[in-house]
Amino acid sequence: MRVWFNRGYSLAPISRAMMDAEPALDVLIGLGRGHPVPSNGAETIVEPDLPPGEYVEWVRSVVMGRGIDFLIPTRCRADLLAADLPCHVHAAGSLATLDLLSDKLAFSRATAGTSFHLPTVGISSADALKRHLEGLMVKGGGDVIASVKPRRGVNGHGYWTLRRSDPLSHIVRPDDREMRYDLYLAAARAQEQVRPMDEIVLMEYLPGPEVSFDVLAHHSRYLKSVARTKAEDGRQHVSTDHRLQGAVSRLVETFGLHGVVNIQFRRDDLGQWRILEINTRPAGGVIHGEHVGAGILGDWARLLAGTIGPEEISRPRIDVVLENRVGMVPVEGSSNQRGVVGG
């Protein structure tokens, strides 16, 4: 059984974990030209930079030439799902669902009736941004005002927290993704002198913590998940028992999810969980749960290979704290670490 991930994120450790779990699976990963070849043993395919139509035909030739059984696309996903390729094209949902989940404003509207809804405003001009920020500043007197990010974007690109103070924060501490609101607004006005600004979304700032669910689903059916709660000191609490698992299960059913996806929540000022997004691909952090026996990737690999069915997946019980700065190993003596039980 041959599986090909075209260009995506964190594919080397993901493919290695899948092949380790299922020897019948041969995983290939796509790379852009000039990218370093990972040393994880997976076969790599150097992908050309082509327009979507030509890229689809190139993919077709690779599928036929390499004997690919499953294509799991990130690049040109909609085009590849719409094409009649001689292999299974794995999708985390329908084309309409994938489009909705990639649109942060549409996704917010789709979750408006839930207890974890995050109110979100679409912004398409500097004047609209100024008006909404002024309204938020009247409501609250704290330093942090709101968060903004592109209406469509991946991997945190374009995210900023807007605040009243510290005009050099985005230069001195760029990794914090913080900027004084008037400087962001000035940049938006400068952009409009060149061309209209790309639409962004504005939402309340959520102080956290954040919990990230790595989820295994099978055609709208929730199978299992592991929650990774991120702490400021770099540690992660990895657990198969979390109060939001019921919500995660309902989201899988509502959006008809399939395969391995990632669902993120974060606490607001009042401690209420708010949903950030559903990523319709495995998150890079899924490998941390795999190291302590979660089996999200392992069971996905076995489902793809057909060596198990949905009723035969593992049901581990995990509650462990991992130390980020030392390769995500269990922290000795942690009061939260109760080991890995089951399999």
Side-chain angles (χ1 to χ4, degrees), residues 8-221:
Y9 302 91
S10 306
L11 293 180
I14 288 172
S15 62
R16 182 72 266 164
M18 293 176 72
M19 289 190 292
D20 286 345
E22 178 47 72
L25 207 64
D26 184 18
V27 182
L28 296 78
I29 59 178
L31 300 173
R33 295 189 186 278
H35 287 233
V37 176
S39 58
N40 70 320
E43 185 176 348
T44 58
I45 300 174
V46 178
E47 300 191 4
D49 292 319
L50 296 171
E54 294 178 32
Y55 179 72
V56 168
E57 293 310 308
W58 175 81
V59 167
R60 187 187 308 277
S61 68
V62 173
V63 167
M64 296 176 65
R66 300 287 187 100
I68 303 298
D69 298 290
F70 278 92
L71 171 64
I72 304 178
T74 296
R75 184 188 182 202
C76 293
R77 181 165 56 180
D79 299 282
L80 292 169
L81 286 167
D84 184 20
L85 295 176
C87 68
H88 298 285
V89 183
H90 186 285
S94 67
L95 279 172
T97 293
L98 296 176
D99 184 64
L100 183 150
L101 295 180
S102 69
D103 181 335
K104 294 173 178 60
L105 183 58
F107 176 63
S108 174
R109 290 169 176 167
T111 58
T114 66
S115 62
F116 44 81
H117 171 60
L118 176 60
T120 302
V121 178
I123 302 290
S124 56
S125 70
D127 283 343
L129 177 60
K130 180 176 184 292
R131 183 170 65 255
H132 283 284
L133 286 175
E134 287 175 344
L136 289 172
M137 287 189 288
V138 169
K139 290 181 180 179
D143 183 40
V144 178
I145 304 169
S147 297
V148 293
K149 55 185 174 181
R151 179 170 177 173
R152 293 181 181 269
V154 297
N155 216 29
H157 295 163
Y159 172 88
W160 288 96
T161 295
L162 304 184
R163 59 191 310 158
R164 301 173 194 259
S165 65
D166 204 355
L168 286 178
S169 60
H170 64 291
I171 296 174
V172 178
R173 302 182 304 279
D175 291 342
D176 290 350
R177 309 300 298 171
E178 295 181 348
M179 183 183 296
R180 203 168 78 179
Y181 79 96
D182 56 338
L183 299 179
Y184 190 97
L185 186 58
R189 292 201 183 283
Q191 173 62 60
E192 288 182 325
Q193 299 303 309
V194 180
R195 61 175 176 80
M197 62 181 284
D198 293 332
E199 190 169 7
I200 62 174
V201 290
L202 176 74
M203 64 213 76
E204 66 177 289
Y205 170 71
L206 304 175
E210 180 179 316
V211 60
S212 181
F213 284 86
D214 300 308
V215 185
L216 178 61
H218 188 74
H219 298 296
S220 306
R221 177 184 172 189

